[in-house]
């Protein structure tokens, strides 16, 4: 499995441990994000949508277990795999971590080769629909496994939010969504974002698709919101 560019969010309140994990993962060609607590993690998840979250159990404020439960309860984030990391070794703690939806569980201290192997295994299981899942509409292809977009074979460069917007719309063609619905499905219920933010990212998405002639697929429905369609 090609992990180049796969985005891992490390949620750990001890900066020294975060730095060691970052170093180990970057050597494996992962793109590493960091957060010292759940508040920072929520921002990273909303803005950059990690492919996997490495989540410490004991965090200041909201615990890692509570945040894992929150992630798995939200339709917009429940598919992000979570590996819990903790110093707790009791079996009941392992069971509790897995019961809230964690995909795997590691106890400290751990070896970095084992951590990397666990991440690879979880990512392989987590790819929606398998490695080959690709949505293609009239020459515009959205590859969920690699998070790459092509137009008639040529790469389309999109920011993380624009990619999530396009993937959402391409997965639900010919349906009209209000701005509020788009916010809930793409940004999540627990993130405060103004509705006009949707319009800004829609403009960016159209601008990226315009050179290939596919900007017309993102259609404004007056008085309601937006629709994705290849019927111009």
């Amino acid at each position: 499995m090609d992990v180049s560019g796969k985005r891992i969010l490390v949620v750990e309140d001890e900066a020294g441990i975060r730095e060691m994990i970052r170093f180990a993962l970057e050597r494996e060609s992962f793109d590493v994000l960091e957060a010292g607590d759940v508040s920072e993690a929520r921002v990273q998840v909303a803005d950059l949508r990690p492919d996997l979250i490495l989540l410490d159990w004991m965090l200041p404020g909201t615990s890692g277990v509570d945040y894992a439960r929150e992630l798995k309860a939200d339709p917009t984030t429940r598919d992000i795999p979570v590996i819990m990391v903790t110093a707790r070794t009791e079996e009941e703690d392992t069971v509790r971590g897995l019961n809230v939806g964690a995909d795997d569980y590691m106890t400290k201290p751990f070896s970095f080769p084992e951590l990397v192997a666990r991440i690879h295994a979880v990512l392989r299981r987590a790819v929606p629909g398998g490695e080959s899942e690709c949505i293609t509409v009239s020459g515009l292809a959205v590859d969920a496994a690699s998070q790459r977009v092509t137009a008639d074979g040529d790469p389309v460069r999109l920011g993380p939010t624009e990619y999530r917007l396009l993937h959402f719309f391409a997965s639900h063609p010919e349906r009209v969504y209000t701005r509020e619905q788009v916010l809930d499905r793409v940004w999540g219920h627990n993130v405060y974002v103004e509705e006009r933010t949707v319009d800004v990212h829609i403009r960016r998405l159209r601008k990226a698709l315009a050179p290939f002639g596919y900007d017309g697929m993102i259609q404004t429905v007056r008085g309601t919101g937006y629709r994705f369609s290849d019927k111009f």
Side-chain angles (χ1 to χ4, degrees):
M1 179 181 183
D2 182 14
V3 301
S4 299
K6 287 289 184 181
R7 189 173 290 124
I8 310 296
L9 172 59
V10 179
V11 188
E12 163 64 62
D13 60 324
E14 295 188 35
I17 295 177
R18 285 203 312 272
E19 184 61 30
M20 287 190 293
I21 294 174
R22 169 187 279 277
F23 179 73
L25 297 184
E26 286 183 340
R27 284 197 310 176
E28 299 293 325
S29 299
F30 288 108
D31 178 14
V32 182
L33 308 173
E34 296 182 38
D37 56 31
V38 170
S39 294
E40 291 180 9
R42 290 188 182 114
V43 174
Q44 296 278 31
V45 169
D47 290 346
L48 297 171
R49 184 72 180 191
D51 297 293
L52 181 144
I53 299 174
L54 196 63
L55 181 59
D56 188 39
W57 181 301
M58 300 297 291
L59 293 169
T62 305
S63 72
V65 170
D66 288 338
Y67 185 45
R69 186 181 293 109
E70 174 186 315
L71 288 165
K72 296 304 179 178
D74 189 331
T76 65
T77 57
R78 65 187 175 200
D79 291 332
I80 301 176
V82 174
I83 298 179
M84 295 291 300
V85 179
T86 180
R88 294 171 178 261
T89 58
E90 293 82 1
E91 181 181 355
E92 63 183 37
D93 293 323
T94 302
V95 171
R96 184 181 171 197
L98 295 174
N99 280 345
V100 300
D103 298 85
D104 204 348
Y105 188 101
M106 295 190 68
T107 56
K108 299 176 182 176
F110 53 80
S111 72
F112 288 116
E114 180 187 5
L115 173 62
V116 170
R118 295 281 192 98
I119 290 174
H120 277 278
V122 171
L123 284 174
R124 279 195 298 271
R125 297 196 302 266
V127 173
E131 290 283 346
S132 63
E133 184 191 29
C134 186
I135 303 168
T136 303
V137 182
S138 299
L140 184 66
V142 183
D143 190 317
S146 65
Q147 294 196 3
R148 291 189 174 93
V149 176
T150 57
D152 300 317
D154 295 322
V156 180
R157 300 193 180 280
L158 298 176
T161 301
E162 285 70 47
Y163 169 80
R164 296 203 307 272
L165 266 175
L166 180 59
H167 185 273
F168 168 67
F169 279 124
S171 301
H172 305 84
E174 303 299 336
R175 292 185 59 180
V176 179
Y177 289 92
T178 66
R179 289 169 179 82
E180 183 179 2
Q181 288 173 322
V182 173
L183 281 175
D184 285 345
R185 299 294 292 274
V186 178
W187 275 266
H189 300 281
N190 299 315
V191 179
Y192 175 74
V193 181
E194 294 184 1
E195 288 190 6
R196 62 182 178 182
T197 301
V198 175
D199 301 329
V200 172
H201 287 284
I202 288 288
R203 286 197 296 271
R204 291 178 182 172
L205 177 56
R206 284 173 172 160
K207 184 177 180 180
L209 296 175
F212 308 94
Y214 289 108
D215 51 312
M217 285 185 170
I218 311 298
Q219 300 170 3
T220 300
V221 179
R222 288 190 181 277
T224 306
Y226 295 101
R227 172 181 57 217
F228 178 86
S229 175
D230 61 351
K231 299 178 179 63
F232 293 83

